[in-house]
Amino acid sequence: MNRTRLDRLLGGLDTDGYLLDASQDDANQLYLSGFTGPDPFLTLYADGEVHLLVSGLEYGRARTEAAADTVERHADYDYEYGGREDRYDMYARFVADKDVESVSVPPRSPVGTADALRERGIDVVVDGDDALGEVRAVKTDEEVDAIRAAQRANEAAMRAAESLLAAADVAGGGDAPNDGDAAAEAVEPGTLLHDGEPLTSERVAEEIEVTLLRHGCALDETIVAGGAQAADPHDRGSGPLRANEPIIVDVFPRSKATKYHADMTRTFCVGDPDPAAREWYDLTERALEAALDAVEPGATGEEVHAAACEVYEAAGEPTFRTDPETETGFIHSTGHGIGLDVHESPRLSSGAGELEPGHVVTVEPGLYDPAVGGVRLEDLVVVTEDGHENLTDYPLEFVV
Amino acid sequence: MNRTRLDRLLGGLDTDGYLLDASQDDANQLYLSGFTGPDPFLTLYADGEVHLLVSGLEYGRARTEAAADTVERHADYDYEYGGREDRYDMYARFVADKDVESVSVPPRSPVGTADALRERGIDVVVDGDDALGEVRAVKTDEEVDAIRAAQRANEAAMRAAESLLAAADVAGGGDAPNDGDAAAEAVEPGTLLHDGEPLTSERVAEEIEVTLLRHGCALDETIVAGGAQAADPHDRGSGPLRANEPIIVDVFPRSKATKYHADMTRTFCVGDPDPAAREWYDLTERALEAALDAVEPGATGEEVHAAACEVYEAAGEPTFRTDPETETGFIHSTGHGIGLDVHESPRLSSGAGELEPGHVVTVEPGLYDPAVGGVRLEDLVVVTEDGHENLTDYPLEFVV
């Protein structure tokens, strides 16, 4: 945690303190408290100090683990497990005990707590500018190392996925040596086969996820999407994969030890992509290079996004800049910050502000159309004093 | 989803509608919308209908996947990606468009949205009684089947963990056949060994998690805690495991397909537990049986909790009932509801209300003291018309 930046941004707000009511599932809470509590607890930043209020069940672990100046437990406020209003009374006393009469809270803080504190005379102001998110956006060297380590695990997982695809046979129709397998006869020609069974998105995702677990990472979801599914950037993909079609593999694991994320996307094709898909891949590789070239301190997220858009637009592909209504072409932003959250500040999109050293962002242009499918390529980079360092070490090869 | 119960509980509130602003990470949102959107979106229940508002990027998938009566997208309100206030303007128009002037929201809804809607003339009331959580607490047969299937995967994972423990050698001191291994010489006597290396909590957790992935489940965390670590019910465990000590294995996976959770805990000991640990195990097995016997419709969660407490109290072990300040003994509630959330309504604890058919709850008594370690046993049951059905099929055996 960058304490100087924290003091400057949170200390600069017009309230006496900054209050979080959340569990470790909330990245702000994990960052400010340094504590992995599974149930919601309070963290108050006030006068340069971080104060925690946890249940008795968490107290011992919080004192050992948390990056806080003080840790208190419910019993310190004579609260026994009981009603909702008693709990809010305790919260108000905890805040008042630190000489705090007004608190800023993030926009997605619980309204129940905010309303209850207001009823108890504490001014609760929504911090619409997300000061704590802006603190988190600039990483320390230690945080960058955590993200780099997660990306190493991610590369191992991508290799596992690519190997599974490269080793696949093709059912029925001629491209693969082992197309006469008995089990293969029943499936549609062109379907990818693994051990004679159709190779599905789910099977490839399983291989990715098992590999990540073996490398100390966990994850909730993985995208392995081929054909028309790949034309929807948020489709996770399901069912048998097919030869000669682009297959998007987008993996965003989280280190179990550090809780920091990585993110990478590659697009593969088993067999022969048609000319349109091949052109999309080449364009997207150029858009990735152009956007990466633009990443440096002082450049805006809007400029990086523009660099990717210009490659596509010059080739006649629609983007949100040329057609805000388009449902095909380049239909998302160029990238996002990553850290304890998989999506955080800064953005690489229209209207996005200046990049600073320590920002860690994905760069991920792509093209989508149900008639062709989807192609996306994504690297992960950290902004340095004089440019950027690419944290991704994985080749760009379409046909496997 | 039980639509009759939904209409009764949400329709019975004093507002025109029930509003959610959350992503699929929120169980209420997943339940009411039936949509797996990774970014926050709006769901409004009003006049017996469910209405969704999603971004253009999610629109196609939401129309196909969501369990909603209507799905609209941002463009329907002429909103382009932009400022915060524009977004709240769109939210207010979406709500007003359904003839809704007042909405109930869950206590943990985002305060930024609540305040913004209030500024725009919509009355936002915190639903402190958590009506939607009460709807979710009673499961349909389909939901029970989803939980049962996740518990089958959990049993496979528990077997994998138990096998790894049962096959372990013991370093240095006599119990195991293979204690002369070269790598073992350096480790502390009594340490469990796997392939000559210390067997750690992390290694057992990895085995559990890989097994779960192979069975279609994912999970964020697993508890494998031995020795003094097991005396803290929320400690996930780390480092080498040891012989002759209780090892708590608590696994709470989620089905990737259905999103429903399961939950089970067993306590194992490799070698010879000391008499105190053995007595704790026997007591906890009796507390589990007593609490299970008490689970039936009409019984309160408080009564089920009391049944477990009485076994411990009769043996002289402290509980929160006899000593609210105790840090050893039975220091948590007897169980919790489970479903799309791993912790949800109803509770099995002091003050908890009546059980109903369709409630799915864990029953998990345990004893904790850093001097002995920890013992916990947990089954998962569904309340039926005339009692309960245990959804767990795994033996209770301490010494492996």
Side-chain angles (χ1 to χ4, degrees):
Chain A
M1 185 161 74
N2 183 332
R3 196 71 185 239
T4 312
R5 189 173 165 87
L6 185 80
D7 289 335
R8 181 161 58 81
L9 288 177
L10 294 197
L13 295 169
D14 278 342
T15 48
D16 301 338
Y18 202 92
L19 183 71
L20 300 176
D21 170 8
S23 74
Q24 62 169 341
D25 293 339
D26 179 81
N28 280 330
Q29 181 64 288
L30 195 55
Y31 186 86
L32 190 60
S33 69
F35 179 57
T36 56
D39 299 314
F41 59 96
L42 293 195
T43 299
L44 177 66
Y45 173 91
D47 209 14
E49 296 207 320
V50 176
H51 307 281
L52 255 62
L53 177 65
V54 301
S55 73
L57 194 57
E58 306 288 8
Y59 183 59
R61 211 163 49 80
R63 273 191 305 177
T64 313
E65 186 189 306
D69 297 291
T70 74
V71 178
E72 292 173 285
R73 60 182 140 181
H74 294 175
D76 295 327
Y77 291 86
D78 297 325
Y79 170 80
E80 291 173 26
Y81 189 79
R84 193 161 60 229
E85 297 302 319
D86 289 349
R87 194 176 178 93
Y88 290 139
D89 287 345
M90 169 176 66
Y91 288 0
R93 290 207 306 280
F94 166 73
V95 170
D97 181 65
K98 309 295 173 295
D99 292 327
V100 166
E101 293 176 359
S102 61
V103 292
S104 296
V105 299
R108 300 197 69 81
S109 306
V111 62
T113 307
D115 282 5
L117 291 177
R118 287 165 176 165
E119 282 163 18
R120 286 159 177 81
I122 294 164
D123 194 20
V124 178
V125 179
V126 174
D127 170 30
D129 291 329
D130 193 16
L132 189 49
E134 290 310 305
V135 176
R136 285 170 38 219
V138 172
K139 272 70 179 176
T140 63
D141 290 347
E142 196 184 1
E143 291 175 286
V144 173
D145 285 345
I147 294 168
R148 185 183 281 114
Q151 189 76 325
R152 288 296 89 79
N154 207 2
E155 289 155 8
M158 190 64 80
R159 269 191 296 276
E162 183 178 347
S163 300
L164 200 55
L165 291 171
D169 302 315
V170 181
D175 282 310
N178 181 24
D179 62 354
D181 186 293
E185 302 293 355
V187 306
E188 211 176 315
T191 302
L192 298 186
L193 300 176
H194 175 73
D195 289 343
E197 294 291 320
L199 180 60
T200 60
S201 292
E202 291 87 343
R203 179 66 187 80
V204 178
E206 182 184 315
E207 197 67 21
I208 289 167
E209 293 171 7
V210 168
T211 306
L212 287 171
L213 275 179
R214 297 288 188 203
H215 286 78
C217 287
L219 77 180
D220 288 333
E221 294 188 314
T222 302
I223 293 172
V224 179
Q229 291 176 0
D232 176 343
H234 278 185
D235 196 317
R236 288 80 164 170
S238 63
L241 295 162
R242 300 179 54 76
N244 311 325
E245 289 183 346
I247 299 169
I248 290 180
V249 180
D250 185 349
V251 190
F252 30 101
R254 180 187 221 193
S255 161
K256 292 168 74 167
T258 68
K259 313 287 184 190
Y260 281 83
H261 289 85
D263 201 347
M264 175 173 28
T265 305
R266 289 294 181 266
T267 302
F268 302 114
C269 183
V270 180
D272 243 342
D274 67 29
R278 199 179 284 275
E279 188 194 336
W280 275 23
Y281 193 93
D282 293 341
L283 267 178
T284 300
E285 188 170 345
R286 282 172 46 212
L288 175 64
E289 279 164 18
L292 285 172
D293 280 348
V295 175
E296 61 184 13
T300 64
E302 174 156 5
E303 286 162 0
V304 178
H305 181 55
C309 288
E310 280 158 17
V311 171
Y312 287 137
E313 290 162 6
E317 297 295 340
T319 73
F320 275 150
R321 301 199 318 174
T322 55
D323 177 6
E325 310 269 299
T326 185
E327 296 184 355
T328 63
F330 182 32
I331 54 174
H332 53 68
S333 68
T334 294
H336 54 83
I338 191 165
L340 292 173
D341 263 336
V342 70
H343 288 156
E344 57 181 49
S345 191
R347 297 178 294 114
L348 303 182
S349 60
S350 296
E354 278 194 15
L355 295 173
E356 294 180 50
H359 277 156
V360 176
V361 291
T362 68
V363 179
E364 48 177 316
L367 288 173
Y368 309 90
D369 183 340
V372 179
V375 169
R376 181 165 66 254
L377 297 172
E378 175 185 32
D379 279 1
L380 181 60
V381 306
V382 55
V383 180
T384 57
E385 293 296 336
D386 56 0
H388 69 269
E389 178 195 345
N390 196 326
L391 302 176
T392 320
D393 181 16
Y394 202 92
L396 293 170
E397 296 210 18
F398 189 27
V399 177
V400 296
Chain B
M1 187 161 74
N2 182 330
R3 197 67 184 239
T4 312
R5 188 172 166 87
L6 185 80
D7 289 336
R8 182 162 56 80
L9 288 177
L10 295 197
L13 295 169
D14 278 340
T15 47
D16 301 338
Y18 201 92
L19 183 70
L20 300 176
D21 170 8
S23 75
Q24 62 170 339
D25 293 338
D26 179 82
N28 280 330
Q29 180 65 287
L30 196 55
Y31 186 86
L32 190 60
S33 70
F35 179 56
T36 57
D39 299 314
F41 60 96
L42 293 195
T43 299
L44 176 67
Y45 173 90
D47 210 13
E49 295 207 322
V50 176
H51 307 282
L52 255 62
L53 177 65
V54 301
S55 73
L57 194 56
E58 306 286 10
Y59 183 60
R61 211 163 47 82
R63 273 191 305 178
T64 313
E65 186 189 305
D69 296 292
T70 73
V71 177
E72 293 172 285
R73 61 182 140 181
H74 294 176
D76 294 329
Y77 292 87
D78 298 325
Y79 170 81
E80 291 174 26
Y81 189 78
R84 196 160 58 228
E85 297 302 319
D86 289 349
R87 193 175 179 96
Y88 290 138
D89 286 345
M90 168 176 66
Y91 288 180
R93 290 206 307 278
F94 167 73
V95 170
D97 181 67
K98 312 293 174 296
D99 292 325
V100 166
E101 293 175 1
S102 61
V103 291
S104 295
V105 299
R108 300 197 68 83
S109 306
V111 61
T113 307
D115 281 4
L117 291 176
R118 287 165 176 165
E119 282 163 18
R120 287 158 177 81
I122 293 164
D123 194 20
V124 178
V125 179
V126 174
D127 169 31
D129 292 328
D130 194 17
L132 189 49
E134 292 309 305
V135 176
R136 285 169 39 218
V138 172
K139 272 71 180 175
T140 63
D141 290 347
E142 195 184 1
E143 291 176 285
V144 174
D145 285 344
I147 295 169
R148 185 184 281 115
Q151 190 76 326
R152 288 296 88 79
N154 208 2
E155 289 155 7
M158 189 64 79
R159 268 191 296 276
E162 183 178 345
S163 301
L164 201 54
L165 291 171
D169 301 315
V170 181
D175 281 311
N178 183 24
D179 60 356
D181 188 292
E185 302 292 354
V187 306
E188 213 176 315
T191 302
L192 298 186
L193 301 175
H194 176 73
D195 290 343
E197 295 290 321
L199 180 60
T200 60
S201 292
E202 291 87 343
R203 180 66 187 77
V204 178
E206 182 184 315
E207 198 66 22
I208 289 167
E209 293 170 7
V210 168
T211 306
L212 288 170
L213 276 178
R214 297 288 187 203
H215 287 78
C217 286
L219 78 178
D220 287 334
E221 292 189 315
T222 303
I223 293 173
V224 179
Q229 291 176 359
D232 176 345
H234 278 184
D235 196 317
R236 288 80 164 168
S238 62
L241 295 163
R242 300 179 52 76
N244 312 325
E245 290 182 344
I247 298 168
I248 291 179
V249 181
D250 185 350
V251 190
F252 30 101
R254 180 186 222 193
S255 160
K256 293 168 74 166
T258 68
K259 312 287 183 190
Y260 280 83
H261 289 84
D263 202 347
M264 175 175 23
T265 305
R266 289 295 181 263
T267 302
F268 301 114
C269 184
V270 180
D272 244 341
D274 67 29
R278 200 179 283 274
E279 190 195 334
W280 276 24
Y281 193 94
D282 294 341
L283 268 177
T284 299
E285 188 168 346
R286 283 172 44 213
L288 175 65
E289 279 163 17
L292 286 172
D293 280 349
V295 175
E296 61 184 14
T300 65
E302 175 156 4
E303 287 163 0
V304 177
H305 181 55
C309 287
E310 279 157 18
V311 171
Y312 287 136
E313 289 162 7
E317 297 294 341
T319 73
F320 275 150
R321 300 199 319 172
T322 56
D323 178 6
E325 309 270 299
T326 187
E327 296 185 353
T328 63
F330 182 33
I331 53 174
H332 53 69
S333 69
T334 294
H336 54 84
I338 192 165
L340 293 173
D341 263 334
V342 70
H343 289 157
E344 58 181 50
S345 191
R347 298 177 295 115
L348 303 181
S349 60
S350 296
E354 279 193 16
L355 294 174
E356 294 180 50
H359 277 158
V360 176
V361 291
T362 69
V363 180
E364 48 177 316
L367 287 173
Y368 310 88
D369 183 341
V372 180
V375 169
R376 182 166 65 253
L377 297 172
E378 175 184 32
D379 278 2
L380 182 60
V381 307
V382 56
V383 181
T384 57
E385 293 296 337
D386 56 0
H388 69 268
E389 179 195 344
N390 196 326
L391 301 176
T392 320
D393 181 15
Y394 203 91
L396 293 170
E397 296 211 18
F398 189 26
V399 177
V400 297

